[in-house]
């Protein structure tokens, strides 16, 4: 397989903080339409890896290519514009605006709230809001004030706000943290829906959830990849068992 087949190609990526290698010569490829889950003990470098991909942290060495374009040193906003979306654990939604408005202001033409509120909502924007609201399961809640949504719905809304920008790679950090059992199930369905036509990278600790959603699992440890493959394969890997059981 040539590099052009991957949406994301990371090669020999390294980042050091005061001489400590948080990411150490890491190589990782993500396919189009793939849902990849990254697991690993605390301090393994999972968050730092996502920070590097979205441009929040800059690499000391190595390269990150998105759709075969070099973006290792690109500014964060340019990486977003290129089609990379990142959701953090705490939702950053506008609590006093409706679900519709939250999605509308996330349409790329109106990134600033004031600009978007003054902006006439075109049919194109409305259609996009409708289709994203359906995708995130909030089509019946478009008029609801975002602050009144459940914890899970707020997380889905934020995913929807990212989808408004039509990312081709979406990265989510522990998307089910704090969710009820039912919300977790709905989030699994939601992730299956959104990875059709897009690639998704998820950091997750809940192994039942990982089993349910992952196309492929990457296990990180000490800034490197310890194992990669199906959940069954990595779970049976003695190196992984060793790290998790601390032998
Ligand atoms: P994980 O998300 O897997 O728990 P992190 O990526 O948060 O791991 O951290 C990996 C290692 O890098 C940790 O030892 C952490 O303390 C260190 N680290 C992360 N960011 C910084 C930073 N900005 N400065 C110094 N050390 C950092």
């Amino acid at each position: 397989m040539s590099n052009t087949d991957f949406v994301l190609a990371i090669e020999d990526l390294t980042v050091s903080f005061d001489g400590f290698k948080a990411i150490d010569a890491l190589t990782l490829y993500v396919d189009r339409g793939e849902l990849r889950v990254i697991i690993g003990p605390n301090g393994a470098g999972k968050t730092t890896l996502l920070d590097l991909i979205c441009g929040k942290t800059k690499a000391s060495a190595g390269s990150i290519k998105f759709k075969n374009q070099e973006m290792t040193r690109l500014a964060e906003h340019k990486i977003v514009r290129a089609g990379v979306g990142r959701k953090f654990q705490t939702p950053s939604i506008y609590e006093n605006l409706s679900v519709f408005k939250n999605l509308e202001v996330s349409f790329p033409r109106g990134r600033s709230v004031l600009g978007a509120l003054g902006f006439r909502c075109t049919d194109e924007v409305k259609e996009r809001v409708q289709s994203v609201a359906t995708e995130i399961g909030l089509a019946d809640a478009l008029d609801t004030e975002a602050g009144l949504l459940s914890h899970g719905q707020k997380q889905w809304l934020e995913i929807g706000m990212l989808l408004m920008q039509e990312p081709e790679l979406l990265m989510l950090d522990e998307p089910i943290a704090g969710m009820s059992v039912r919300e977790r199930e709905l989030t699994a369905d939601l992730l299956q829906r959104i990875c059709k036509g897009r690639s998704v990278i998820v950091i997750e600790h809940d192994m039942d959830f990982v089993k349910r959603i992952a196309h492929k699992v990457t296990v990180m440890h000490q800034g490197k990849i310890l194992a990669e493959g199906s959940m069954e394969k990595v779970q049976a890997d003695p190196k992984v068992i060793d790290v998790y059981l601390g032998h």
Side-chain angles (χ1 to χ4, degrees), residues 27 42 46 61 68 74 82-84 93 107 112 114 120 123-124 144 148 176 187 190 197 205 230:
T27 291
N42 279 340
K46 304 180 295 294
N68 219 29
L74 223 54
V84 177
I93 57 172
F107 191 76
S112 85
L114 286 178
R120 208 165 60 84
D123 287 347
E124 185 198 356
T144 305
L148 300 175
I176 57 165
T187 304
L190 165 60
H205 290 293
S230 67

Short mmCIF file of all heavy atoms in Angstrom, two decimals, residues 27 42 46 61 68 74 82-84 93 107 112 114 120 123-124 144 148 176 187 190 197 205 230:
data_model
loop_
_atom_site.label_atom_id
_atom_site.label_comp_id
_atom_site.label_asym_id
_atom_site.label_seq_id
_atom_site.Cartn_x
_atom_site.Cartn_y
_atom_site.Cartn_z
N THR A 27 5.52 5.72 14.42
CA THR A 27 5.02 5.62 13.04
C THR A 27 3.61 5.02 13.09
O THR A 27 3.39 4.00 13.75
CB THR A 27 5.97 4.76 12.18
OG1 THR A 27 7.19 5.49 12.01
CG2 THR A 27 5.38 4.47 10.80
N ASN A 42 -1.82 5.71 31.60
CA ASN A 42 -1.61 7.15 31.77
C ASN A 42 -0.16 7.49 31.52
O ASN A 42 0.74 6.77 31.94
CB ASN A 42 -1.99 7.58 33.20
CG ASN A 42 -3.48 7.76 33.33
OD1 ASN A 42 -4.19 7.92 32.33
ND2 ASN A 42 -3.96 7.72 34.56
N LYS A 46 -0.69 9.49 24.61
CA LYS A 46 -1.89 9.51 23.74
C LYS A 46 -2.35 10.96 23.45
O LYS A 46 -2.56 11.32 22.29
CB LYS A 46 -3.04 8.72 24.39
CG LYS A 46 -2.68 7.29 24.75
CD LYS A 46 -3.84 6.55 25.39
CE LYS A 46 -4.26 7.09 26.74
NZ LYS A 46 -3.27 6.94 27.82
N ALA A 61 10.94 16.11 15.73
CA ALA A 61 11.44 15.41 14.53
C ALA A 61 10.33 14.52 13.96
O ALA A 61 9.34 14.25 14.63
CB ALA A 61 12.65 14.54 14.90
N ASN A 68 -1.73 13.04 2.21
CA ASN A 68 -0.46 13.12 1.49
C ASN A 68 0.18 14.51 1.48
O ASN A 68 1.11 14.76 0.72
CB ASN A 68 -0.63 12.60 0.05
CG ASN A 68 0.57 11.80 -0.38
OD1 ASN A 68 1.24 11.17 0.45
ND2 ASN A 68 0.87 11.81 -1.66
N LEU A 74 2.59 23.05 10.14
CA LEU A 74 1.47 23.95 9.79
C LEU A 74 0.83 24.54 11.05
O LEU A 74 0.74 23.85 12.06
CB LEU A 74 0.43 23.13 9.02
CG LEU A 74 -0.24 23.72 7.79
CD1 LEU A 74 0.80 24.20 6.79
CD2 LEU A 74 -1.14 22.67 7.14
N ALA A 82 -7.68 22.38 6.76
CA ALA A 82 -7.34 21.26 5.86
C ALA A 82 -8.28 20.08 6.06
O ALA A 82 -8.36 19.19 5.22
CB ALA A 82 -5.89 20.84 6.09
N GLY A 83 -9.01 20.06 7.22
CA GLY A 83 -10.00 18.98 7.42
C GLY A 83 -9.76 18.11 8.64
O GLY A 83 -10.22 16.96 8.68
N VAL A 84 -9.07 18.66 9.64
CA VAL A 84 -8.84 17.89 10.87
C VAL A 84 -9.63 18.53 12.01
O VAL A 84 -9.47 19.72 12.29
CB VAL A 84 -7.34 17.84 11.24
CG1 VAL A 84 -7.12 17.10 12.55
CG2 VAL A 84 -6.53 17.19 10.12
N ILE A 93 -19.63 24.38 24.01
CA ILE A 93 -20.82 24.76 23.26
C ILE A 93 -21.33 26.09 23.81
O ILE A 93 -20.91 26.50 24.89
CB ILE A 93 -21.92 23.68 23.38
CG1 ILE A 93 -22.27 23.44 24.84
CG2 ILE A 93 -21.48 22.37 22.71
CD1 ILE A 93 -23.46 22.53 25.06
N PHE A 107 -20.70 26.64 11.06
CA PHE A 107 -20.50 26.56 9.61
C PHE A 107 -19.26 27.39 9.28
O PHE A 107 -19.12 28.50 9.79
CB PHE A 107 -21.74 27.11 8.88
CG PHE A 107 -21.74 26.84 7.42
CD1 PHE A 107 -22.05 25.59 6.92
CD2 PHE A 107 -21.43 27.85 6.51
CE1 PHE A 107 -22.05 25.33 5.56
CE2 PHE A 107 -21.43 27.61 5.14
CZ PHE A 107 -21.74 26.35 4.67
N SER A 112 -16.73 33.14 13.97
CA SER A 112 -16.94 33.94 15.18
C SER A 112 -18.44 34.05 15.43
O SER A 112 -19.22 34.15 14.49
CB SER A 112 -16.32 35.33 15.03
OG SER A 112 -17.23 36.17 14.37
N LEU A 114 -20.32 36.42 16.74
CA LEU A 114 -20.96 37.66 16.32
C LEU A 114 -21.14 37.69 14.81
O LEU A 114 -22.21 38.01 14.30
CB LEU A 114 -20.12 38.86 16.77
CG LEU A 114 -20.20 39.14 18.26
CD1 LEU A 114 -19.30 40.31 18.63
CD2 LEU A 114 -21.64 39.44 18.66
N ARG A 120 -26.84 36.01 7.42
CA ARG A 120 -28.13 35.44 7.02
C ARG A 120 -27.99 33.93 6.83
O ARG A 120 -27.05 33.47 6.17
CB ARG A 120 -28.59 36.10 5.72
CG ARG A 120 -30.10 36.13 5.59
CD ARG A 120 -30.48 37.10 4.48
NE ARG A 120 -29.91 36.69 3.21
CZ ARG A 120 -30.46 35.80 2.39
NH1 ARG A 120 -31.59 35.22 2.72
NH2 ARG A 120 -29.88 35.48 1.25
N ASP A 123 -30.09 28.68 2.69
CA ASP A 123 -30.64 27.33 2.59
C ASP A 123 -29.54 26.29 2.71
O ASP A 123 -29.73 25.23 3.30
CB ASP A 123 -31.34 27.16 1.23
CG ASP A 123 -32.66 27.92 1.23
OD1 ASP A 123 -33.08 28.35 2.32
OD2 ASP A 123 -33.22 28.11 0.14
N GLU A 124 -28.37 26.63 2.17
CA GLU A 124 -27.25 25.69 2.22
C GLU A 124 -26.87 25.39 3.68
O GLU A 124 -26.67 24.24 4.07
CB GLU A 124 -26.05 26.30 1.48
CG GLU A 124 -24.86 25.37 1.38
CD GLU A 124 -23.57 26.10 1.07
OE1 GLU A 124 -23.60 27.33 0.85
OE2 GLU A 124 -22.52 25.43 1.06
N THR A 144 -34.08 23.46 21.10
CA THR A 144 -33.74 23.38 22.53
C THR A 144 -32.49 24.21 22.83
O THR A 144 -31.53 24.18 22.07
CB THR A 144 -33.49 21.91 22.93
OG1 THR A 144 -34.63 21.15 22.57
CG2 THR A 144 -33.20 21.75 24.41
N LEU A 148 -29.74 23.18 28.22
CA LEU A 148 -30.75 22.27 28.80
C LEU A 148 -30.55 20.82 28.35
O LEU A 148 -31.26 19.92 28.80
CB LEU A 148 -32.17 22.74 28.40
CG LEU A 148 -32.56 24.15 28.87
CD1 LEU A 148 -33.92 24.54 28.32
CD2 LEU A 148 -32.55 24.22 30.40
N ILE A 176 -16.94 9.09 25.88
CA ILE A 176 -18.07 8.63 26.70
C ILE A 176 -17.89 8.95 28.19
O ILE A 176 -18.70 8.51 29.00
CB ILE A 176 -18.34 7.12 26.52
CG1 ILE A 176 -17.09 6.29 26.84
CG2 ILE A 176 -18.89 6.83 25.14
CD1 ILE A 176 -17.39 4.81 27.02
N THR A 187 -23.68 6.67 21.63
CA THR A 187 -22.42 7.24 21.12
C THR A 187 -21.69 6.22 20.23
O THR A 187 -21.10 6.60 19.20
CB THR A 187 -21.51 7.67 22.30
OG1 THR A 187 -22.24 8.59 23.11
CG2 THR A 187 -20.24 8.34 21.80
N LEU A 190 -23.37 6.43 17.00
CA LEU A 190 -23.01 7.71 16.37
C LEU A 190 -21.61 7.62 15.73
O LEU A 190 -21.41 8.05 14.59
CB LEU A 190 -23.06 8.81 17.45
CG LEU A 190 -22.42 10.17 17.20
CD1 LEU A 190 -23.05 10.84 16.00
CD2 LEU A 190 -22.60 11.06 18.40
N GLY A 197 -17.07 7.47 5.46
CA GLY A 197 -16.62 8.60 4.65
C GLY A 197 -15.64 9.52 5.36
O GLY A 197 -15.14 10.47 4.77
N HIS A 205 -10.51 4.58 27.38
CA HIS A 205 -10.05 3.66 28.44
C HIS A 205 -11.01 2.50 28.65
O HIS A 205 -10.62 1.46 29.16
CB HIS A 205 -9.90 4.41 29.77
CG HIS A 205 -8.77 5.37 29.79
ND1 HIS A 205 -7.46 4.95 29.74
CD2 HIS A 205 -8.73 6.71 29.83
CE1 HIS A 205 -6.66 6.00 29.77
NE2 HIS A 205 -7.41 7.09 29.81
N SER A 230 -6.34 -5.89 15.69
CA SER A 230 -7.69 -6.05 16.23
C SER A 230 -7.62 -6.09 17.75
O SER A 230 -6.57 -6.38 18.33
CB SER A 230 -8.30 -7.36 15.72
OG SER A 230 -7.59 -8.44 16.28
#
